[in-house]
Amino acid sequence: MPKMQLERLLRSQGFGSRPECRALVRSGRVSIDGMLCDDPFAEFEPDGLLFSVDGVLWTYREFAFLALNKPAGFECSHKPKHHPSIYSLFPRVLLTRNIQAVGRLDEDTTGLLLLSDDGQFIHAYTSPKKRIPKVYDVTVKHPVDTLQVDALLEGVQLHDEPARIAATGCEVRSEHLLRMTVTEGKYHLVKRMIAAAGNRVEGLNRIAIGGFPLPDSLPIGQWIWLEASDLARLARPQQ
Ligand code: URA
């Protein structure tokens, strides 16, 4: 990657307009590889660059790819109606970069949610054509029976859908818990499928997308950067 002036580099990472980034550097609040740099026009190779702003360490990233462990009670919208927005869980620089959720989870659904500022990535992972498997732990109201599991695997007819929709996986984990895989991203899909099979969702937690599982170590409400190896796992079919 060609070298970049510091003020441009900071701008690309969400630290504000070029004049704002210039002022930030001139006021001595930016260090590169641990050394204070107050020249906004100093040039650096951005790939893998470690820099700090007000003592907070960042790595240069051309695009932001993030995974959030979504809590219940948050809406996947910039303009939430009844609950706080998931975007309130991220620092301002990422919002300035205009990160967007890759698809949406309902307000009461928890678990793995991807976000990015890369339009191509968002498009690829929301496109129905790609049929990315998404795995949910589904807590249901009534004890699960084999007829319900068979119906989910064979396909259930939803209102407003021309064809039946089938789960590509449905494992009974306990009397009230199913692990279900779907490859479409329609509104309330899992809740509607479970209702069509004669049961009712009481709790929904997304535990994987593609071959990428929600990391056990990621606390609810926290997010991580996705690295190249995570993106490669995402692109692989479910494991
Ligand atoms: N299906 C649903 O019904 N809700 C979600 O949040 C995700 C999948």
Side-chain angles (χ1 to χ4, degrees):
M1 208 180 235
K3 285 190 170 181
M4 246 172 142
Q5 289 182 336
L6 186 52
E7 70 168 35
R8 276 178 186 271
L9 190 146
L10 290 172
R11 186 180 130 70
S12 75
Q13 302 298 288
F15 288 88
S17 64
R18 278 180 69 183
E20 283 165 346
C21 292
R22 195 175 312 154
L24 194 65
V25 176
R26 287 208 167 121
S27 60
R29 292 161 60 191
V30 180
S31 300
I32 306 289
D33 281 333
M35 299 271 291
L36 190 129
C37 178
D38 60 5
D39 176 3
F41 305 111
E43 295 199 331
F44 296 94
E45 159 68 55
D47 251 354
L49 188 76
L50 279 176
F51 63 95
S52 67
V53 178
D54 295 330
V56 179
L57 197 61
W58 299 89
T59 302
Y60 172 88
R61 309 206 184 226
E62 186 178 3
F63 292 110
F65 301 109
L66 311 166
L68 170 72
N69 187 352
K70 181 190 173 293
F74 283 77
E75 289 181 31
C76 292
S77 165
H78 282 286
K79 291 190 182 141
K81 292 207 175 82
H82 305 292
H83 300 274
S85 162
I86 52 151
Y87 296 103
S88 66
L89 299 168
F90 292 89
R92 192 177 58 88
V93 289
L94 289 176
L95 305 181
T96 308
R97 287 183 73 153
N98 202 20
I99 54 164
Q100 304 293 335
V102 178
R104 290 186 174 202
L105 290 177
D106 296 336
E107 168 274 313
D108 53 353
T109 300
T110 56
L112 180 59
L113 183 69
L114 305 177
L115 299 102
S116 181
D117 60 356
D118 177 355
Q120 277 188 2
F121 176 85
I122 296 171
H123 177 74
Y125 279 86
T126 43
S127 159
K129 282 194 208 125
K130 240 189 153 194
R131 298 184 67 81
I132 308 275
K134 298 167 198 87
V135 189
Y136 293 87
D137 273 348
V138 191
T139 306
V140 289
K141 182 167 185 189
H142 310 292
V144 179
D145 63 44
T146 46
L147 283 178
Q148 291 169 9
V149 174
D150 290 348
L152 289 164
L153 287 170
E154 275 159 27
V156 286
Q157 185 65 54
L158 304 180
H159 300 299
D160 304 335
E161 295 296 339
R164 285 169 179 268
I165 299 187
T168 54
C170 189
E171 188 191 323
V172 180
R173 309 279 292 182
S174 68
E175 208 180 21
H176 290 271
L177 184 65
L178 286 175
R179 180 158 293 174
M180 185 169 148
T181 306
V182 291
T183 55
E184 303 192 36
K186 295 179 193 299
Y187 183 65
H188 289 335
L189 180 64
V190 175
K191 290 176 184 166
R192 289 157 68 209
M193 288 175 72
I194 295 283
N199 209 321
R200 188 190 157 93
V201 170
E202 300 261 275
L204 200 51
N205 183 40
R206 184 152 71 189
I207 60 158
I209 298 178
F212 180 77
L214 176 67
D216 286 339
S217 56
L218 184 60
I220 294 174
Q222 304 282 306
W223 58 273
I224 48 166
W225 294 96
L226 296 180
E227 306 299 342
S229 56
D230 300 322
L231 297 178
R233 289 179 86 180
L234 259 181
R236 281 204 292 269
Q238 189 192 336
Q239 288 161 343

